[in-house]
Amino acid sequence: MLQGFADAPALYLYPLLAGLLLGVVQIVVYFAGSVSLGDSLADLLDGTSVGELFDWLNLGRVPVSIIGMLLLVTFGAVGILLSDTLPLVPNWAYAFAAAPAAVGVTKLVGNGLARLIPQDESYAVNLGDLVGRRGVVTLGPLDDGHPGNVRVRDGHGELHTIRARPADQGTIIDKGAEVVVVSGGDGPGRVFLVMPFGAGS
């Protein structure tokens, strides 16, 4: 079995091993204390297409190491499984199935984890304290339909990605716009209400 694992295509074996390593890192970080990897990555990716993907994958509500672990492990595992099942197909071709599978699994598992995992150190602030603070729309536009994402810093400088929609019905707030949080909903799936910054002035 180990021999077969070692003979797996490197294109999928290395991501699988890297994902497992990230899982170990997440455990170490959990016991070592707060490390703001998510904040640093969010600042780096803010405004990019990759940043939009990570916002969609729950960056800010799920630790970035878990998102990375799910992406890498699923990509590697699906690629290796397909290489064993369809050995006559070129190794690179499995990526066309492995990549969408990795994104889909990460989204589904991330949605569940975002509801279930306890709030860690970077989310320990009372989310009600975000009311009145300014943020930027990172996944939008915001309208009366499905909530989008807004990135907000609390009074301690910690970064939060919250689900939000406009406070005024019929308002459309474009991605990248600066907003003010005016109200917060209740419950684990809480949706904040925001207004464009300067709208009341």
Side-chain angles (χ1 to χ4, degrees):
M1 180 177 178
L2 290 177
Q3 182 62 34
F5 184 76
D7 291 338
L11 178 62
Y12 309 105
L13 177 60
Y14 292 161
L16 177 62
L17 294 176
L20 295 175
L21 179 61
L22 267 179
V24 174
V25 169
Q26 175 60 32
I27 295 173
V28 172
V29 167
Y30 177 81
F31 286 104
S34 177
V35 177
S36 321
L37 295 176
D39 289 0
S40 301
L41 182 62
D43 289 338
L44 182 65
L45 298 178
D46 197 19
T48 68
S49 57
V50 176
E52 291 182 27
L53 173 62
F54 271 84
D55 280 335
W56 184 71
L57 292 175
N58 297 295
L59 179 62
R61 294 189 291 157
V62 176
V64 64
S65 55
I66 290 181
I67 294 176
M69 179 190 69
L70 289 169
L71 283 170
L72 292 168
V73 168
T74 305
F75 178 82
V78 170
I80 291 173
L81 178 63
L82 289 176
S83 69
D84 288 340
T85 307
L86 304 170
L88 299 181
V89 178
N91 288 334
W92 57 265
Y94 305 130
F96 289 104
V103 172
V105 168
T106 301
K107 175 62 175 176
L108 289 174
V109 176
N111 285 347
L113 289 176
R115 299 187 194 95
L116 296 176
I117 61 176
Q119 303 297 320
D120 61 18
E121 292 83 357
S122 65
Y123 302 96
V125 65
N126 181 351
L127 292 182
D129 294 341
L130 298 179
V131 173
R133 302 200 67 84
R134 287 157 57 178
V136 175
V137 179
T138 57
L139 185 62
L142 305 185
D143 53 31
D144 296 333
H146 292 293
N149 287 353
V150 172
R151 188 166 290 142
V152 185
R153 286 194 183 275
D154 62 29
H156 304 288
E158 296 289 345
L159 197 64
H160 302 263
T161 298
I162 59 175
R163 300 169 70 234
R165 62 165 52 101
D168 298 325
Q169 288 191 346
T171 300
I172 298 176
I173 306 176
D174 292 329
K175 177 181 175 296
E178 193 170 13
V179 296
V180 177
V181 181
V182 296
S183 178
D186 298 321
R190 66 189 303 170
V191 176
F192 287 79
L193 301 181
V194 300
M195 294 180 62
F197 177 66
S201 60

